[in-house]
């Protein structure tokens, strides 16, 4: 089985996709599957690790504008998983990963390189698992241009975020994909007067999945469908929602090397206190064991509901709480967050940037984790928070709805605080509920921490669901 993705741990991460690519293959391997992963060789990986990789082969791509373009495929093995890297200095050895004007050309090239590798028979696979728009051409190419050149295989396409679609001008169909304009005019790839890599993946993969059950239903509606709901409906019988797990080894407060103190649910009070005091000191907040520490670790985009927080700041900072925001993203959001340290000295801090080690410490040291997303296909962060005994405050959408069990004052059940309507009032109300519970019903708060930490967040169940889907199509697997 080959995973095709634009990012993945332990090499490259910008968000939850990388967490999934870094952990689902491990879980499938435990179930007896042979899994490898292919991704572009970006600058950071090239600089740091290329020397230690093995050159597998050199391929010559000869499609459309890519005439006689050579690409070296590197390989390495980490903990039983084989990784392949597609080298093209011009396309991939840049400071960033995506968001460039030539992304269509770059990722079409990546998809062709994957197909050429399959054609070369250097690797032998019967299932290809593609992730998000960057890899949407693989199922299409497997059934068209390369159909007679590669071994037949089952293709899965997983939508991690329908909001990013890889939509490009229609001319790219011939120039970069190597297919005739027929695919535009008959509607197959046409989307908003251009072509869409996401649409290609959805229509041509044998199976389409997304990362939670609720999101699988939501994307069939105009509210969440990003104008692709009708296209998705065409595939409804092959569309499944399988919730993401997390890597419970990498994210384990009992062994996490980044923390000031390790802990399990048995000594969580002591463990979290040590981490709270440490993160307060590290980020210049007033060291106070009693104050409720609220955190957010996130891409700063409209998806993440940061607007609700910005609109509520005046009210909530009137309560005795502290706030940490670790994130990077839209410059208008970053601009609005920068002044919070001056407005609320030693009580609020905005760390603008991406910092993996710091993220671990923030998860461990905080009491409440904010995830008031407008939409959330699955969400990894709220799951990490629960694993660290930090109660998520989440909106009931997508995977947040499927993974966070709401607080119930009567049964003492629940692993977090949730709200429905995307409104400032509802957000403030639920944050007040969290604050009130933390302050006046600490026994309830502690009970929830234990529920959260005991929740099974591993990939075990979901990996089995993927396998079940595959075996329905290939019983011998
Ligand atoms: P998304 O993929 O939509 O960004 P997820 O919740 O699925 O959201 O995954 C986000 C992942 O990225 C989590 O592992 C989170 O800890 C991490 N992350 C997000 N922003 C940062 C940051 N600024 N620094 C470190 N880690 C971050
Ligand atoms: C996307 C989604 C997020 C999901 C992640 C991994 O980035 O925004 O909700 O958890 O992919 O599937």
């Amino acid at each position: 089985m080959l995973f095709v993705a634009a990012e993945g741990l332990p090499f490259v991460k910008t968000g939850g996709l990388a967490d999934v690519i870094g952990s689902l293959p491990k879980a499938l391997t435990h179930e007896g599957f042979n899994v490898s992963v292919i991704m572009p060789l970006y600058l950071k990986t090239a600089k740091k690790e290329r020397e230690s990789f093995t050159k597998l082969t050199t391929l010559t791509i000869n499609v459309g504008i890519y005439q006689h373009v050579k690409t070296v495929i590197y390989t390495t093995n980490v903990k039983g998983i084989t990784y392949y890297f597609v080298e093209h200095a011009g396309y991939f050895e840049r400071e960033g990963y995506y968001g460039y004007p030539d992304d269509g050309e770059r990722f079409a090239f990546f998809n062709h390189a994957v197909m050429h590798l399959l054609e070369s028979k250097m690797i032998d696979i019967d299932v290809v698992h593609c992730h998000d728009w960057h890899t949407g051409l693989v199922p299409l190419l497997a059934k068209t241009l390369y159909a007679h050149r590669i071994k037949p295989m089952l293709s899965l396409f997983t939508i991690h975020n329908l909001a990013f679609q890889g939509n490009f001008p229609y001319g790219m169909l011939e120039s970069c994909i190597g297919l005739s304009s027929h695919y535009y005019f008959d509607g197959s790839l046409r989307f908003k007067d251009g072509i869409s890599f996401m649409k290609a993946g959805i229509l041509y993969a044998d199976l389409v999945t997304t990362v939670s059950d609720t999101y699988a239903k939501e994307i069939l509606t105009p509210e969440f469908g990003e104008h692709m709901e009708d296209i998705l409906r065409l595939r409804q019988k092959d569309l499944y929602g399988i919730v993401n797990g997390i890597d419970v080894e990498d994210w384990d407060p009992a062994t996490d090397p980044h923390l000031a103190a390790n802990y399990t649910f048995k000594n969580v009070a002591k463990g979290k206190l040590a981490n709270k005091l440490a993160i307060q000191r590290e980020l210049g907040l007033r060291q106070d064991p009693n104050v409720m520490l609220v955190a957010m670790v996130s891409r700063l985009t409209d998806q993440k509901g940061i607007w609700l927080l910005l609109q509520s700041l005046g009210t909530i900072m009137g309560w005795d709480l502290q706030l940490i925001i670790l994130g990077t993203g839209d410059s208008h959001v970053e601009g609005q967050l920068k002044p919070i340290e001056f407005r609320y000295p030693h009580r609020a801090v905005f760390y603008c940037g991406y910092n993996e080690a710091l993220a671990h410490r923030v998860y461990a040291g905080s009491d409440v984790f904010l995830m008031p997303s407008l939409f959330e296909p699955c969400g990894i962060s709220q799951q990490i928070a629960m694993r660290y005994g930090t109660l998520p405050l989440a909106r009931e959408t997508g995977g947040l709805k499927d993974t966070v069990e709401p607080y119930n004052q009567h049964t003492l059940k629940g692993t977090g605080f949730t709200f429905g309507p995307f409104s400032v009032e509802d957000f403030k109300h639920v944050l007040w509920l969290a604050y009130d519970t933390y302050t006046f019903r600490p026994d309830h708060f502690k009970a929830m921490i234990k529920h959260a930490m005991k929740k099974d967040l591993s990939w075990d169940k979901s990996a089995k669901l993927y396998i079940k889907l595959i075996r329905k199509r290939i019983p011998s697997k």
Side-chain angles (χ1 to χ4, degrees):
M1 182 168 185
L2 179 69
F3 272 54
V4 188
E7 61 177 270
L9 286 173
F11 297 99
V12 178
K13 171 169 167 179
T14 71
L17 171 61
D19 288 293
V20 173
I21 304 303
S23 50
L24 176 56
K26 281 195 216 167
L28 292 169
T29 306
H30 285 152
E31 298 291 328
F33 268 61
N34 185 356
V35 187
S36 47
V37 179
I38 187 162
M39 62 179 98
L41 181 67
Y42 298 105
L43 183 64
K44 193 180 133 231
T45 319
K47 268 192 188 158
K48 220 170 94 195
E49 325 215 33
R50 181 166 34 200
E51 295 281 290
S52 66
F53 294 163
T54 308
K55 268 189 192 173
L56 176 74
T57 184
T58 301
L59 303 168
T60 306
I61 316 290
N62 236 333
V63 186
I65 57 165
Y66 316 107
Q67 287 300 313
H68 312 293
V69 181
K70 290 205 179 327
T71 174
V72 178
I73 307 293
Y74 290 87
T75 183
T76 193
N77 191 291
V78 183
K79 295 186 184 161
I81 312 284
T82 303
Y83 294 86
Y84 300 103
F85 296 91
V86 174
E87 182 186 62
H88 186 298
Y91 287 146
F92 302 125
E93 291 177 39
R94 305 178 182 182
E95 282 304 322
Y97 306 112
Y98 14 89
Y100 294 101
D102 60 347
D103 274 0
E105 185 178 325
R106 296 169 72 221
F107 284 98
F109 177 82
F110 172 59
N111 286 228
H112 280 299
V114 173
M115 299 315 294
H116 273 63
L117 181 62
L118 295 177
E119 187 182 9
S120 76
K121 310 264 181 327
M122 299 285 300
I123 63 173
D124 179 31
I125 60 149
D126 34 28
V127 182
V128 67
H129 190 167
C130 304
H131 298 265
D132 267 354
W133 74 262
H134 320 88
T135 65
L137 299 183
V138 168
L140 163 74
L141 292 172
K143 291 199 169 74
T144 53
L145 208 57
Y146 295 79
H148 304 293
R149 294 157 53 182
I150 57 167
K151 188 179 130 183
M153 58 186 193
L154 181 78
S155 56
L156 265 76
F157 181 67
T158 296
I159 302 166
H160 293 265
N161 196 336
L162 195 61
F164 302 107
Q165 304 178 330
N167 300 335
F168 301 104
Y170 121 93
M172 183 170 285
L173 196 47
E174 290 186 37
S175 62
C176 295
I177 303 181
L179 292 175
S180 81
S181 54
H182 169 79
Y183 286 86
Y184 173 82
F185 290 108
D186 76 357
S188 313
L189 294 188
R190 183 175 186 158
F191 188 67
K192 294 185 177 169
D193 292 332
I195 54 150
S196 168
F197 283 32
M198 177 67 92
K199 182 173 178 182
I202 294 171
L203 287 186
Y204 284 85
D206 298 310
L207 292 166
V208 181
T209 69
T210 185
V211 289
S212 70
D213 210 30
T214 296
Y215 193 61
K217 296 188 181 96
E218 286 174 343
I219 54 178
L220 297 173
T221 67
E223 193 186 346
F224 295 93
E226 307 282 351
H227 304 286
M228 288 213 171
E229 59 276 12
D230 293 336
I231 299 166
L232 284 157
R233 277 187 186 282
L234 296 173
R235 297 305 315 274
Q236 203 170 347
K237 94 175 169 27
D238 297 312
L239 174 66
Y240 299 87
I242 301 182
V243 72
N244 291 331
I246 60 168
D247 190 324
V248 289
E249 281 171 21
D250 284 358
W251 294 106
D252 184 356
T255 54
D256 191 329
H258 300 294
L259 307 192
N262 290 112
Y263 59 95
T264 67
F265 69 86
K266 288 188 185 140
N267 61 348
V268 53
K270 200 166 151 233
K272 282 193 76 71
L273 181 60
N275 283 293
K276 183 181 202 167
L277 293 170
I279 195 73
Q280 286 172 328
R281 189 174 52 240
E282 179 177 349
L283 295 179
L285 297 172
R286 174 169 49 85
Q287 277 189 294
D288 180 345
N290 298 319
V291 69
M292 181 169 98
L293 183 52
V294 179
M296 189 164 188
V297 176
S298 184
R299 286 186 294 118
L300 301 175
T301 66
D302 291 343
Q303 176 191 341
K304 300 297 177 179
I306 188 85
W307 181 81
L308 294 180
L309 176 65
L310 287 169
Q311 296 294 313
S312 312
L313 275 179
T315 310
I316 66 173
M317 291 312 292
W319 311 337
D320 185 23
L321 54 77
Q322 292 183 349
L323 180 64
I324 298 175
I325 298 172
L326 163 58
T328 174
D330 295 348
S331 49
H332 73 273
V333 179
E334 290 182 356
Q336 288 189 68
L337 283 172
K338 278 188 179 139
I340 63 170
E341 304 183 23
F342 304 102
R343 273 172 69 191
Y344 311 106
H346 309 294
R347 297 188 54 222
V349 59
F350 170 44
Y351 181 106
C352 184
Y354 187 93
N355 188 327
E356 189 72 28
L358 180 59
H360 283 247
R361 294 194 286 276
V362 172
Y363 283 115
S366 316
D367 300 300
V368 170
F369 187 85
L370 298 183
M371 203 123 168
S373 307
L374 179 60
F375 66 93
E376 197 60 72
C378 178
I380 297 291
S381 311
Q382 82 282 8
Q383 303 196 62
I384 299 173
M386 288 188 277
R387 177 106 174 113
Y388 281 65
T390 302
L391 300 181
L393 182 154
R395 200 167 91 78
E396 290 150 13
T397 184
L400 295 173
K401 192 168 171 189
D402 297 354
T403 56
V404 181
E405 204 187 319
Y407 169 51
N408 182 318
Q409 301 199 28
H410 308 290
T411 62
L412 290 197
K413 285 248 167 77
T415 60
F417 300 92
T418 70
F419 67 109
F422 189 79
S423 83
V424 176
E425 284 316 310
D426 284 86
F427 173 72
K428 282 197 276 200
H429 177 81
V430 74
L431 188 53
W432 173 258
L433 177 65
Y435 179 73
D436 195 52
T437 311
Y438 177 87
T439 312
F440 300 111
R441 293 182 300 282
D443 50 328
H444 289 206
F445 206 87
K446 281 181 194 143
M448 287 169 77
I449 290 178
K450 296 223 161 151
H451 291 314
M453 290 186 80
K454 284 184 177 174
K455 199 174 158 69
D456 179 10
L457 300 163
S458 75
W459 271 103
D460 291 355
K461 271 193 218 133
S462 294
K464 288 194 173 80
L465 291 175
Y466 276 110
I467 292 173
K468 205 168 144 193
L469 278 189
I470 293 169
R471 289 206 173 124
K472 256 197 199 161
R473 303 293 178 107
I474 318 180
S476 60
K477 277 300 292 175

